[in-house]
């Protein structure tokens, strides 16, 4: 098993899953994590988008979800309690969600290092898009001018990761007002479109999302030292 996992370590397969309900994506992640642990697949990055959903990590505090989950569901927003670390967050249309299924034994078996690497890769991607982003000491995620543009929450088993990051691209930010994002009071959320004053419209939004996916995948590959990648829509 160790030899199999080592042999696949520097190959990154990128899978575009389109718009996928959160529960379906969670099942796919868990199955792929089992496959990665067994050495049946290489390191993999899932890129997708979710219909509106609120997820509650293991660190969710009572005040982070001021609205009853049933009320949210009646408003068309699913609610999931999950195994990842961190507090509450929102996923919805217009986000680029990334779920890396990585064997950290072939990189560095250190969760703090992994979180900082995820942040570093997103910061590098945003830089290519003209956004000056940064880390904030003591907090997880990516920020620009004091506003939060990307959230991160992970889970690891036998040093294989799942869950990951959510980067706001053309996201409607108003649903974040229904929660306390990541448990940070008074946090201001932002998006790539807002920070770059990108014009809206179906075609322009599609072009922006394609550019963001390309930037994120390239920065992810560079930050984690991958030499090859699987084919994906981001390359076309």
């Amino acid at each position: 098993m160790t030899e199999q996992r080592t042999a696949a370590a520097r190959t990154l397969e990128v899978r575009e899953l389109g718009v996928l309900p959160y529960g379906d994506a969670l099942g796919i992640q868990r199955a792929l994590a089992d496959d990665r642990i067994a050495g049946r697949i290489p390191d993999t990055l899932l890129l997708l988008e979710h219909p509106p959903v609120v997820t509650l990590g293991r660190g969710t505090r009572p005040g982070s979800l001021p609205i009853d989950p049933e009320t949210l569901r009646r408003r068309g927003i699913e609610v999931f309690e999950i195994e990842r670390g961190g507090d509450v967050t929102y996923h919805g249309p217009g986000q680029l969600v990334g779920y890396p299924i990585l064997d950290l034994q072939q990189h560095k078996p250190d969760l703090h290092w992994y979180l900082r690497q995820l942040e570093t890769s997103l910061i590098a991607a945003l830089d290519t898009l003209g956004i000056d982003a940064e880390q904030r000491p003591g907090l997880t995620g990516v920020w620009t001018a004091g506003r939060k543009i990307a959230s991160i929450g992970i889970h690891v088993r036998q040093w294989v990761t799942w869950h990951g990051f959510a980067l706001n691209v053309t996201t409607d930010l108003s649903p974040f007002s229904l929660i306390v994002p990541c448990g940070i009071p008074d946090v201001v959320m932002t998006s790539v479109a807002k920070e770059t004053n990108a014009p809206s419209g179906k075609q322009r939004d599609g072009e922006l999302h394609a550019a963001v996916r390309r930037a994120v995948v390239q920065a992810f590959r560079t930050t984690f030292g991958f030499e090859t990648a699987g084919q994906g829509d981001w390359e076309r």
Side-chain angles (χ1 to χ4, degrees):
M1 181 183 299
T2 302
E3 291 180 357
Q4 288 177 309
R5 291 169 76 172
T6 301
R10 291 304 173 189
T11 298
L12 177 67
E13 180 178 345
V14 180
R15 300 191 188 186
E16 290 269 8
L17 301 184
V19 179
L20 198 64
Y22 190 84
D24 294 350
L26 188 57
I28 290 171
Q29 289 181 76
R30 289 169 175 165
L32 290 177
D34 287 342
D35 286 342
R36 187 68 188 103
I37 289 169
R40 291 188 290 266
I41 62 170
D43 283 343
T44 300
L45 175 62
L46 307 180
L47 296 177
L48 61 150
E49 186 177 329
H50 291 305
V53 60
V54 165
T55 66
L56 311 175
R58 297 191 314 273
T60 299
R61 287 164 281 192
S64 297
L65 188 64
I67 297 178
D68 181 83
E70 286 305 316
T71 300
L72 289 174
R73 292 186 179 103
R74 286 195 295 270
R75 296 176 66 165
I77 301 174
E78 290 190 289
V79 180
F80 281 83
E81 293 186 33
I82 52 176
E83 67 268 79
R84 66 160 172 80
D87 210 299
V88 61
T89 196
Y90 166 80
H91 298 304
Q95 275 185 343
L96 175 63
V97 177
Y99 294 135
I101 314 296
L102 306 185
D103 181 5
L104 292 184
Q105 292 184 99
Q106 309 308 324
H107 298 272
K108 185 174 182 178
D110 182 319
L111 298 187
H112 293 289
W113 173 87
Y114 176 58
L115 287 168
R116 303 294 83 80
Q117 290 290 97
L118 288 177
E119 292 167 345
T120 297
S121 66
L122 291 172
I123 290 167
L126 290 167
D127 182 65
T128 67
L129 298 166
I131 297 174
D132 185 14
E134 62 185 5
Q135 298 165 324
R136 292 188 68 175
L139 297 174
T140 299
V142 176
W143 309 73
T144 177
R147 299 175 289 273
K148 192 168 190 181
I149 195 168
S151 302
I152 294 173
I154 65 168
H155 184 72
V156 175
R157 179 163 61 87
Q158 296 184 43
W159 291 114
V160 168
T161 70
W162 67 97
H163 297 289
F165 62 84
L167 174 63
N168 298 324
V169 182
T170 59
T171 319
D172 175 7
L173 301 174
S174 61
F176 283 102
S177 67
L178 302 173
I179 63 174
V180 180
C182 303
I184 305 171
D186 301 320
V187 66
V188 176
M189 303 299 294
T190 191
S191 67
V192 173
K194 188 170 183 178
E195 294 299 319
T196 59
N197 294 311
S200 61
K202 186 174 181 180
Q203 180 175 345
R204 292 182 183 274
D205 286 353
E207 292 170 352
L208 179 60
H209 277 272
V212 171
R213 289 198 304 273
R214 287 193 296 270
V216 167
V217 170
Q218 184 56 53
F220 190 91
R221 291 179 61 196
T222 300
T223 300
F224 284 92
F226 289 107
E227 297 177 356
T228 60
Q231 292 294 313
D233 291 345
W234 61 275
E235 291 181 302
R236 297 172 189 165

